[in-house]
Amino acid sequence: KYLGFVYKIACSKLLGVCSKEDIEEFVCDIFYEFYCSRDRIDLEKGSVKALLAVFTKRRAINLFHKTTKGPACVSLYDDDLQNILSDNENVEARILEAERKTQLIAAVKALGSPDSEILIRKHYLGQTMREIGVELDMKVKTVEKRYDRALKKLRCTIGGIGNE
């Protein structure tokens, strides 16, 4: 029933890095792992289709990063994922939002140091450019220039994922 659905998700994430045979094997592994995990799956937190979608996307991202030597991602049973699926309303929108956040975090980390650290300190810790400069032992003007360049790189990397 969900073979085409899972295959399409897998292809969207892996087509550039894996052969069609590898993707088909990946899809088989998804169904096998999903079946083996059936005792731990709580269908009150989401439909089988939604759970399969998240499971497939997460595993495909893991395989993509493993294949391209990128960062490791999380599994189906993360607390964040369970929170996403705790409410049947807007499950798809919440899954997409969680994916956007994951992509944004990966893109910020890919900027490297000190650019990623400057963005994190500015947007997540709420530090001023002066505070960041003191913490990183940099001039304020240097921090501002690196910040602007990092935002430009991030916009190019993620395109329409979100704003800063």
Side-chain angles (χ1 to χ4, degrees):
K1 182 175 180 178
Y2 298 112
L3 179 63
F5 176 69
V6 170
Y7 185 79
K8 182 145 179 103
I9 293 170
C11 281
S12 72
K13 304 289 181 202
L14 300 172
L15 198 53
V17 264
C18 296
S19 68
K20 289 193 178 214
E21 292 82 13
D22 290 337
I23 294 172
E24 290 171 2
E25 185 176 334
F26 171 80
V27 170
C28 290
D29 291 343
I30 290 295
F31 282 107
Y32 176 74
E33 288 180 39
F34 196 77
Y35 177 77
C36 289
S37 302
R38 69 189 182 279
D39 295 334
R40 298 187 309 177
I41 295 172
D42 184 4
L43 291 178
E44 291 179 9
K45 294 186 176 186
S47 67
V48 170
K49 186 175 182 179
L51 290 167
L52 262 174
V54 173
F55 188 59
T56 303
K57 286 178 185 178
R58 296 278 174 117
R59 289 290 316 261
I61 291 169
N62 286 346
L63 182 58
F64 176 84
H65 288 305
K66 185 177 177 183
T67 304
T68 60
K69 304 292 186 221
C73 290
V74 290
S75 72
L76 174 64
Y77 300 103
D78 284 351
D79 291 335
D80 290 341
L81 180 60
Q82 292 304 321
N83 290 338
I84 289 169
L85 297 174
S86 64
D87 183 2
N88 280 338
E89 295 178 28
N90 290 330
V91 170
E92 185 175 339
R94 294 171 77 186
I95 290 169
L96 291 173
E97 181 63 25
E99 268 191 30
R100 281 189 207 102
K101 287 180 183 177
T102 301
Q103 290 173 343
L104 179 60
I105 290 168
V108 169
K109 286 180 180 178
L111 292 173
S113 186
D115 295 346
S116 61
E117 191 167 349
I118 291 170
L119 288 175
I120 290 168
R121 287 178 179 276
K122 172 77 173 151
H123 291 282
Y124 293 102
L125 301 178
Q127 292 181 332
T128 65
M129 294 296 183
R130 183 178 309 276
E131 292 170 332
I132 295 169
V134 169
E135 291 286 328
L136 299 180
D137 195 30
M138 299 170 82
K139 294 179 182 176
V140 175
K141 287 288 184 192
T142 304
V143 172
E144 290 171 351
K145 285 181 184 179
R146 291 199 76 106
Y147 173 77
D148 289 337
R149 288 183 193 151
L151 282 181
K152 286 177 186 173
K153 285 182 197 174
L154 193 60
R155 285 186 189 114
C156 288
T157 302
I158 61 175
I161 290 177
N163 298 331
E164 284 109 41

